Amino acid sequence: MSLLRHAVKQIANQKAHESLNALISPFNGPRQKLSQQQEDDLKDAENGRKSSPIHGRLIAVKNNICTKELPTTCGSSLLEWFYSPYAATVVNKLKAAGALVAGTTNLDEFGMGSDSIHSHFGPVKNPHHLDGNDLSAGGSSGGSAVAVASGQCYAALGTDTGGSVRLPAAYNGIVGFKPSYGMVSRWGVTAYANSLDTVGVLADCVSSVQTVFDVIDHYDPQDPSSIDVGTRENIARRIIKHIQGKKKDGELLRIGVPQEYNTKELRPAVREAWNRTLKRLQASGHSIRAVSLPATKMALSAYYVLAPAEASSNLAKYDGVRFGNRCARPEGTKDVLFSFTRRQGLGEEVRRRILLGTYSLSAGAINNYFIQAQRVRRLVQQDFNEVFALPHPLIDHANINDAEENMVDVLLAPTAQSMPPKLSEVQQRNHIDAYSADTLTVPASLAGLPAINVPVPIPEEHRSSNSTIDSVGMQVIGQYGTDRQLLKAAKCIEALWHG
């Protein structure tokens, strides 16, 4: 199918699937159609005048990533009419490569949530159903995942703080990739937790993800957390040296199976899909090795101390004075100027996390909560360093276990502990249960490691005739900086079922 026909079909799908609420702003705003210039450009690209592999492709952008043409709302009423004076670096890179912004996608407000239900613009709905019921799209990048899964774009950008790209990818049966922290620019991305936020890519296959990643994987001097060119080259040299020195010719992947990810909450269908994937990999010649990551059990608790703490600082500027729509105070109230604006403009989940973060940073609690959580984060990082064969390329004296049986190239585990829950159930459950959805994705985020969700088929005995869900998500995790090696490993898993 031609680029023009692809684009026209995807724009038509945006209209046809409007009820899924995946987009806050559709392609070209209210017009929702290609301009004559865009049509001519697509025809030129089909005639061989492509500036890159994504030239003419429609790529959706999560609505906490700034675009100049469309409002950047972050899913909040406080920013409902906010237009950024500049576009994010990743958006500029996509446009420079000839891609078209397919629209901006719905999300949990300011990226805070695991089901994309905490949005001023309403919940996102999974295109799949169970017993006729709507299902959770996952979060917070649920809109991006649904837009890809329902054919509304070629690929989409999301942000991953504790699993917000991988979890919705798992729930929607697509590929979702979180790169190593610092590899993709965050300039122009609304901050939730600076030390965790990572721009990721969602698409229907690993090759499409890699095509987009190749465009945005560059140093950005405007982003202080961006890995500079010299360091990137040093990381690449270390990886090449390790591969040449440690691995034998023709040796396949050494895949680690973290025992702590086999939780009691893991649903039978997910566990069986995990086992079958491992068996197929072993039958293909890859070696499977059990590993232990003891600090995993503390990772979720540490995350929900650190992320809200950073958020409480980052969101202080949304007060109706510096940023955001100001709400008029009722006459006779004694509220501080901005308190009524924040109470009215910010959703319940955002206010909850601000309060959690403010408390954990208070003088009486910082040592017992924030400092302890930072120590747990270091333990999580050390656990990963002790099981990967490649030493962490940014650490000169990593504490690496040299025992060959403990060395692995990648880790493989489920992305989510269950299938996507019913939307009606997640809207009623308490926030503690909601936080547990991130149990298996948070550790890689705390360590800043690359991780990718790959859908694998549900075993036949666990399929339901009342459900349209046909896959579960498997998560592949690699050592820092091994993003391209991780994508190759993901293609190996993809080929097991679609080769």
Side-chain angles (χ1 to χ4, degrees), residues 96-113:
L100 301 173
V101 174
T104 58
T105 61
N106 204 351
L107 70 159
D108 285 298
E109 187 177 8
F110 286 103
M112 300 183 192

Side-chain angles (χ1 to χ4, degrees), residues 10 25 38 71 199 213 229 336 421 424:
Q10 287 160 359
S25 297
Q38 289 169 331
V199 175
F213 177 62
V229 175
V336 177
S424 58

Side-chain angles (χ1 to χ4, degrees), residues 448-497:
L449 303 180
I452 186 169
N453 173 80
V454 182
V456 303
I458 297 175
E460 287 293 336
E461 62 270 25
H462 292 286
R463 295 196 182 194
S464 169
S465 59
N466 299 324
S467 173
T468 60
I469 304 169
D470 57 4
S471 69
V472 298
M474 288 295 120
Q475 179 181 204
V476 192
I477 304 171
Q479 178 59 288
Y480 186 89
T482 61
D483 299 62
R484 300 188 186 284
Q485 289 72 25
L486 186 72
L487 289 167
K488 289 180 182 178
K491 287 180 181 179
C492 290
I493 294 172
E494 195 175 55
L496 294 176
W497 312 101

Side-chain angles (χ1 to χ4, degrees), residues 271-420:
R271 184 177 284 110
E272 184 60 26
W274 187 15
N275 288 334
R276 291 192 179 189
T277 303
L278 290 169
K279 287 178 181 178
R280 288 203 174 201
L281 286 166
Q282 192 168 35
S284 299
H286 305 286
S287 61
I288 309 299
R289 307 180 184 189
V291 299
S292 179
L293 304 170
T296 293
K297 296 176 180 178
M298 299 181 285
L300 189 68
S301 298
Y303 172 82
Y304 277 104
V305 171
L306 297 173
E310 294 188 38
S312 69
S313 175
N314 284 325
L315 269 63
K317 58 180 171 286
Y318 301 108
D319 53 14
V321 178
R322 290 168 289 180
F323 286 94
N325 307 317
R326 185 185 301 183
C327 298
R329 286 182 296 173
E331 291 186 16
T333 60
K334 297 181 180 180
D335 286 337
V336 177
L337 174 63
F338 56 80
S339 62
F340 187 77
T341 291
R342 285 169 70 81
R343 185 164 66 247
Q344 294 294 112
L346 297 174
E348 181 182 356
E349 182 61 28
V350 173
R351 297 199 306 271
R352 179 184 294 117
R353 297 198 191 194
I354 289 173
L355 288 172
L356 284 171
T358 302
Y359 174 73
S360 66
L361 291 175
S362 64
I366 190 168
N367 289 327
N368 288 333
Y369 291 95
F370 188 77
I371 300 302
Q372 293 290 357
Q374 291 285 26
R375 289 170 177 160
V376 169
R377 184 176 192 174
R378 181 59 60 87
L379 292 175
V380 170
Q381 293 169 336
Q382 289 176 356
D383 280 354
F384 282 116
N385 287 336
E386 288 173 0
V387 301
F388 282 125
L390 173 68
H392 195 298
L394 298 183
I395 301 176
D396 290 332
H397 303 287
N399 181 22
I400 301 298
N401 189 338
D402 290 327
E404 183 65 26
E405 63 272 14
N406 291 332
M407 288 183 170
V408 298
D409 300 310
V410 295
L411 300 172
L412 179 67
T415 304
Q417 299 180 102
S418 68
M419 314 301 290

Side-chain angles (χ1 to χ4, degrees), residues 65 156-160 165 176-179 184 198-202 209 212 216:
I65 302 174
L157 296 185
T159 57
D160 193 307
V165 163
F177 175 50
K178 181 196 88 70
V184 177
T198 307
V199 175
V201 184
L202 302 98
V209 166
V212 177
I216 62 176

